[in-house]
Amino acid sequence: MATVSVIIPTYNRLPALSRALSSLLSQAVPVSEYEIIVVDDGSSDGTGEFMSDFIAKYGNIRYFHQPHKGPAAARNFGVNHSSESRATIQSPTARSSARFFCGPCPGQSLV
């Protein structure tokens, strides 16, 4: 069961989004302990098609598409659709270290 949501608002940032997702999916904690919510803010660069592959492969990723409303609206949409009480917002250009969630304690639970 997931314990934290990572929200990634994106708009025409497909190459950066791919790198951000790869780094998040390489965490030292199991993917069952976190969910990734990608909010596509009206991209026209193939983000939706790209995301369908990730959704099919990983059970902890949710994807939403909305008409372009700006980054604040995309962030708020992600928070409102989070299934967890804790959430963090990550830029699609950010890469996470393998210990993004657990800090210096490998194998530590998020709870």
Side-chain angles (χ1 to χ4, degrees):
M1 179 177 184
T3 60
V4 67
S5 298
V6 180
I7 299 160
I8 305 175
T10 188
Y11 177 69
N12 289 334
R13 297 287 207 148
L14 184 53
L17 177 62
S18 175
R19 290 187 297 271
L21 287 171
S22 293
S23 69
L24 281 170
L25 292 167
S26 300
Q27 293 299 303
V29 297
V31 295
S32 61
E33 295 211 18
Y34 59 97
E35 72 173 348
I36 300 169
I37 298 173
V38 175
V39 182
D40 180 351
D41 191 36
S43 296
S44 59
D45 63 352
T47 296
E49 295 82 11
F50 171 80
M51 287 305 301
S52 65
D53 292 337
F54 271 92
I55 292 166
K57 195 182 232 186
Y58 299 96
N60 67 326
I61 298 178
R62 296 194 298 148
Y63 170 76
F64 297 96
H65 182 274
Q66 68 178 19
H68 185 61
K69 296 179 181 178
R75 288 189 293 268
N76 290 337
F77 186 96
V79 169
N80 290 334
H81 287 82
S82 170
S83 61
E84 304 308 319
S85 59
R86 294 184 296 169
T88 183
I89 299 171
Q90 179 171 320
S91 166
T93 59
R95 293 186 192 170
S96 304
S97 73
R99 297 179 190 216
F100 178 69
F101 293 116
C102 65
C105 305
Q108 179 181 1
S109 174
L110 293 175
V111 291

